[in-house]
Structure formats: structure tokens, C-alpha cells
Amino acid sequence: MSFDQIRLDRHEGIALLTLYRPDRMNAFTGEMMLEIIAALDECDADDGVRAVIFTGHGDKAYCAGADLGGGAATFDYDKRSDKLAMLPEGMSASPVAEDGTINWSHPLIRDGGGRVSMRIFEAKKPVLGAINGAAVGIGATMTLPMDARLASDTARYGFVFARRGIVPEAASSWFLPRLVGIANAVDLCYSGRLISAAEAKEKGLVQSVHAPGDLIDAAIAKAREMTADSAPVSVALTRHMLWRMLGAPHPMSAHRWDSRVIFSRGRSPDAAEGVTSFLEKRAPNFTASVADDYPSFDEFEDAPPYS
């Protein structure tokens, strides 16, 4: 499908998703949110895509956060022109009153950044970030559910919410402490200060720092390293197992899920090919499809209801 505020290109099995609002430093909007979600749906359904890399257009910003063009009313959603785009489809009860006003305290209202973060969390392909410039607000928090973040040496991170009179969103209160530890998380979020790519790497927020001209090539190389010799269905399952078990109360939860998955995958053609190719000292040719052959175990993978 075609997009307006993002670009989606393919590079021999790697999808490059570029945030594309050149005149607004790739600032986030409701339309961009919907396009990111649609692009990830497309990538999950395409077995030709092994991994997805997010980056921003240009050399100044990955994403400058929410578009502040609305001035003081930016975060007053009643006054936003794109407010209806922020409402999820298929809601069982409408938060919109007959006079058109929206009850923003309705139990089914979801923040737009959170919808993107949860969609990245649910992705069946590895997702990487190539952070090419300023990553501020939602530009920072949307990167947290990604499997790896590489940054240019000109990149800057900022969890600036308290400085704007709001709070961190996009489920970052769950993701950020798990990536950088609670002490670093409170420092970054309370102060709202901008940090360099070097400090982001020191804190574990990014894995590597590159010259701007080398960033995309480095991200593509990392994506290939993650996926080239591995069974796509195994990677999809492993991604879900590792991320979801971060919140498990006991290792028994992992043992129960592992047990079901290992027996399921052990009966697949991929398992036979993995062993045979190893014994024959050749590259494997895995044939199972993420789109068609992913074995779902609802007990472990179903998200809790949002209500």
C-alpha cells in the first residue's frame, strides 16, 4: 500500500521503514501512527521480509516527538484536528458523545504512541532502530520495544515529557527500566534532559554508535546477522518468548511455554533441515512460513484485554 508520512522500502529481505515528514523533523502524528501499524502488518505478512529497520528522513532528526505545531493546545486532544485518528477501531463502547465530544478518560482510550509500541512488541520479525538524529518524546519511546538500536554519533535522545507538563507514554514506564535500569530511567524521565549517542550507549539504550554515513549499512548488516542463518518461524517465536517472559512472575512460565514450542518446532521441516544442513556443512534452506506456519499458543501470547 502507499503511505504519506512514512516510506517503506525493501533491501534484499530487509524492510526499511523511514519516518517521512521532511518539513517537521519527522514529528509524530495520528496519521503516522496508523501508517506505521499498517506497514508492520504488511511486513509480518510478507515472508520475503526477514527484519524491519526504522529510521528517519534527513540528517537532523529520527523523530522530533509529537508535532508541536498546535502550540499550547498540542496535548489537549479535544482541540486537535487528528483526534479521531487517535481512537482505535472496533471499540465495544464509543467514547464519542452525541455532541461530538470525546471522553478521554474512557477505559478504552489508548494513547497513539502506545499503539505503535505495542504493535512493535507484537511484531513477528526483528525490529531495529537506526537512530539518525534527534529522538525526542515519542521519537525516543517508540524505539524501546525494538530488538536493537543503533545510533549515529549526531543522535540525541530525550525523554522530555515532564518538561512539557505531561508524562512518559507508549508503555515506556514498562520498557525503559528494563533496558537501562530504574536509576537511569528516573534520571532521564525526571530531568527530561537530552543525552548524546555516546551516553545512550553507556546506559544501554543503544548498542552501537556510527558515523552518519555508515548507520543504515550497519543496521542492515546487524539485521542480516540476526536473521540470515536462522529459521524465520524460530526467530518469530523466540522474539515473542524473550520479550513476554520479561514480565513473567516465575521461570515456570517460561518452562511451560518452552515445552510446548520445542515439541512443536521439533516436528517441523525446519528442525530436520537445521540438523541436516549442519551435518552436511552447508547453509540451511528453511521453508516454514511466518505468515502461514507460526504456531500460536494463546495461553502465553494473548495480550491482556485493554479496558
Side-chain angles (χ1 to χ4, degrees):
M1 62 181 294
S2 61
F3 300 104
D4 181 50
Q5 297 191 3
I6 68 170
R7 298 290 183 266
L8 186 64
D9 303 295
R10 285 153 172 87
H11 298 267
E12 297 180 355
I14 307 300
L16 183 64
L17 191 160
T18 303
L19 308 182
Y20 188 82
R21 296 190 70 217
D23 57 335
R24 302 297 297 174
M25 295 182 70
N26 308 320
F28 187 80
T29 68
E31 182 176 351
M32 180 182 285
M33 171 198 71
L34 294 173
E35 291 187 0
I36 291 172
I37 292 170
L40 289 172
D41 290 345
E42 185 176 317
C43 290
D44 270 355
D46 183 354
D47 285 321
V49 172
R50 297 296 309 274
V52 182
I53 296 171
F54 278 62
T55 195
H57 175 76
D59 56 7
K60 291 184 178 180
Y62 166 72
C63 173
D67 192 327
L68 303 182
T74 294
F75 299 110
D76 184 347
Y77 284 89
D78 279 326
K79 299 177 181 177
R80 285 181 56 150
S81 62
D82 65 346
K83 61 185 177 182
L84 293 180
M86 308 302 286
L87 301 179
E89 296 178 357
M91 299 175 76
S92 58
S94 176
V96 184
E98 291 184 2
D99 63 0
T101 60
I102 297 174
N103 174 11
W104 295 103
S105 297
H106 191 282
L108 296 180
I109 287 289
R110 300 177 63 184
D111 81 272
R115 291 175 65 187
V116 168
S117 285
M118 294 309 296
R119 184 60 188 84
I120 293 172
F121 179 79
E122 293 161 0
K124 293 180 178 177
K125 312 292 174 71
V127 180
L128 297 81
I131 312 306
N132 57 302
V136 179
I138 178 59
T141 55
M142 78 162 74
T143 72
L144 302 181
M146 297 178 184
D147 300 294
R149 286 155 300 280
L150 296 75
S152 76
D153 55 22
T154 59
R156 297 290 183 272
Y157 261 92
F159 297 86
V160 299
F161 306 95
R163 292 192 179 196
R164 306 292 181 264
I166 55 173
V167 295
E169 36 59 276
S172 55
S173 57
W174 192 92
F175 287 107
L176 185 61
R178 286 167 167 77
L179 290 176
V180 303
I182 189 64
N184 284 324
V186 299
D187 170 37
L188 294 173
C189 292
Y190 291 1
S191 70
R193 63 190 178 88
L194 292 177
I195 63 171
S196 66
E199 185 174 353
K201 183 176 184 295
E202 176 189 343
K203 287 178 163 44
L205 191 56
V206 302
Q207 281 68 51
S208 57
V209 178
H210 306 268
D214 298 332
L215 178 63
I216 296 300
D217 286 344
I220 290 174
K222 184 64 178 176
R224 295 200 194 290
E225 178 185 353
M226 285 180 163
T227 61
D229 298 314
S230 300
V233 175
S234 292
V235 171
L237 285 160
T238 301
R239 183 177 201 272
H240 287 178
M241 292 163 72
L242 291 174
W243 276 106
R244 283 159 175 74
M245 286 299 106
L246 281 176
H250 192 281
M252 187 60 75
S253 299
H255 177 43
R256 292 173 57 241
W257 197 359
D258 296 348
S259 297
R260 286 154 177 78
V261 175
I262 194 69
F263 290 118
S264 172
R265 291 300 288 153
R267 298 192 303 273
S268 73
D270 281 353
E273 172 64 8
V275 173
T276 301
S277 62
F278 172 76
L279 294 175
E280 295 178 354
K281 296 181 172 57
R282 60 173 174 81
N285 178 29
F286 296 115
T287 57
S289 160
V290 173
D292 299 327
D293 301 318
Y294 180 93
S296 180
F297 299 90
D298 294 345
E299 177 184 359
F300 305 101
E301 295 189 81
D302 275 359
Y306 185 94
S307 61

